[in-house]
Amino acid sequence: MSLPQEKIYTTKDIYALPDGQRAELIDGRMYMMAPPNTKHQQIVSELTITIGNYIRSKGGNCKVFPAPFAVFLTEDELNYVEPDISVICDKNRLTEKGCNGAPDWVIEVTSPSNPQHDYGVKLFKYRTAGVREYWIVNPQKNTVTVFDFENETNSNQYSFEDNISVCIYKDLSINIADSLS
């Protein structure tokens, strides 16, 4: 007797979801997303402003996008994510629908219901897709785990009170606690 096959979802299934319902798609598996809480949104808002202001002050070409923002990590129809923050430096990756390919920098703020998703499934997917830098901000533990995929020795964990150096911008550091005060 064969085991039942798990349904393989595509981006068509994502776009067919009812209005207001959000999900991500990784290798054909759909992950439903709960609405974010206030602290989550405050962190996303403050980081987006900080990063955007830095890019503008330097006359940079990169763009910062908070969720919901569609990222099609691979050329197939089996991968669709909405990182909490995406920084994209290659304008050729931007379309009317979102980003085709890996952003340069992704920040995910963990949800209390499913933090392991950001530390496991997404970590692997972002690394293999070509994301240069990945931050996991954990409001429950007041920690930030930084993965510098270009220079693995620079990956580390920090507290919200630390000045965290940004890997793709050598002259930018962010203190989450200062941003939230």
Side-chain angles (χ1 to χ4, degrees):
M1 181 169 140
S2 65
L3 295 173
Q5 293 278 330
E6 185 175 323
K7 179 172 173 33
I8 301 295
Y9 293 93
T10 69
T11 53
K12 289 177 186 168
D13 296 303
I14 292 289
Y15 284 106
L17 290 172
D19 284 346
Q21 188 168 8
R22 292 177 50 215
E24 292 182 312
L25 190 63
I26 298 177
D27 297 328
R29 184 167 180 194
M30 191 177 300
Y31 297 89
M32 303 311 291
M33 299 170 65
N37 64 31
T38 301
K39 187 169 186 179
H40 179 283
Q41 288 303 89
Q42 182 183 13
I43 291 169
V44 170
S45 295
E46 293 299 328
L47 286 174
T48 300
I49 291 167
T50 299
I51 296 164
N53 287 342
Y54 169 82
I55 293 169
R56 274 188 296 287
S57 75
K58 297 293 184 178
N61 293 323
C62 301
K63 300 289 181 192
V64 59
F65 298 94
F69 180 73
V71 174
F72 304 90
L73 284 172
T74 56
E75 292 184 19
D76 59 31
E77 295 289 315
L78 302 176
N79 291 281
Y80 167 97
V81 292
E82 292 182 5
D84 289 312
I85 300 173
S86 301
V87 177
I88 298 134
C89 299
D90 181 353
K91 290 183 180 163
N92 293 323
R93 292 184 182 206
L94 295 173
T95 69
E96 287 300 311
K97 284 190 163 187
C99 177
N100 288 326
D104 292 88
W105 181 15
V106 168
I107 299 173
E108 293 283 9
V109 179
T110 62
S111 139
S113 62
N114 195 7
Q116 65 274 15
H117 187 64
D118 296 317
Y119 290 99
V121 174
K122 285 187 176 179
L123 170 65
F124 177 77
K125 198 64 187 177
Y126 289 147
R127 178 188 304 228
T128 57
V131 170
R132 295 169 55 202
E133 181 169 0
Y134 176 40
W135 285 24
I136 303 172
V137 179
N138 188 326
Q140 295 74 44
K141 295 183 178 180
N142 289 339
T143 60
V144 180
T145 306
V146 174
F147 296 93
D148 178 355
F149 294 140
E150 292 181 315
N151 304 296
E152 289 293 327
T153 57
N154 291 341
S155 299
N156 211 337
Q157 187 170 37
Y158 303 90
S159 79
F160 276 21
E161 289 76 27
D162 291 329
N163 291 322
I164 306 167
S165 295
V166 176
C167 305
I168 67 167
Y169 298 119
K170 298 301 179 200
D171 61 341
L172 174 61
S173 66
I174 297 174
N175 183 300
I176 305 281
D178 286 349
S179 297
L180 298 177
S181 56

